Amino acid sequence: MGSYERFVRRCERLRAVCGGPVRIHFSTRFETHFNDLVAHARRHGVRGMFDLRRTDHFALCAEPVLRPQVEALVAGSPAPAPEG
C-alpha cells in the first residue's frame, strides 16, 4: 500500500460519513509532503479537500483558530477560512 493510500481512503470515508464537504488543513510542517499527497488524492478522485496553511502546527490547534471553526460547525453555517 502506498504511503498516502490509507490516509486518502480514510479521508474518503470521512467525507462519506459527513455527507458533505470536508476540509483538512495542514500546517507548514507538512509542506514537503503536501503536493505528493494532493497528487495521490487526485489520482483517486479526491479533490478540493486539502489546504496547506502557512501556520505552525500548534497555532492551527490553538483556541483562537479553532474556536470560530467549531462555533460555525455547531451553528450549522460554513466555517470561516482560517488565517494563514
Side-chain angles (χ1 to χ4, degrees):
M1 181 178 322
S3 59
Y4 301 117
E5 185 68 27
R6 183 182 302 172
F7 181 75
V8 170
R9 282 190 307 169
R10 289 180 178 171
C11 290
E12 290 175 310
R13 207 171 350 169
L14 177 64
R15 185 169 48 186
V17 168
C18 291
V22 172
R23 302 297 296 175
I24 299 174
H25 302 277
F26 294 95
S27 70
T28 55
R29 291 183 182 196
F30 199 75
E31 188 171 18
T32 57
H33 303 281
F34 186 76
N35 289 334
D36 290 340
L37 169 66
V38 170
H40 182 86
R42 285 181 179 163
R43 285 193 297 274
H44 289 81
V46 177
R47 298 178 185 278
M49 183 181 277
F50 308 116
D51 287 319
L52 180 64
R53 297 291 166 189
R54 302 286 178 205
T55 307
D56 178 70
H57 173 78
F58 294 104
L60 281 178
C61 300
E63 184 177 342
V65 173
L66 288 180
R67 178 181 291 274
Q69 302 288 320
V70 173
E71 287 174 348
L73 180 65
V74 170
S77 43
E83 302 281 325

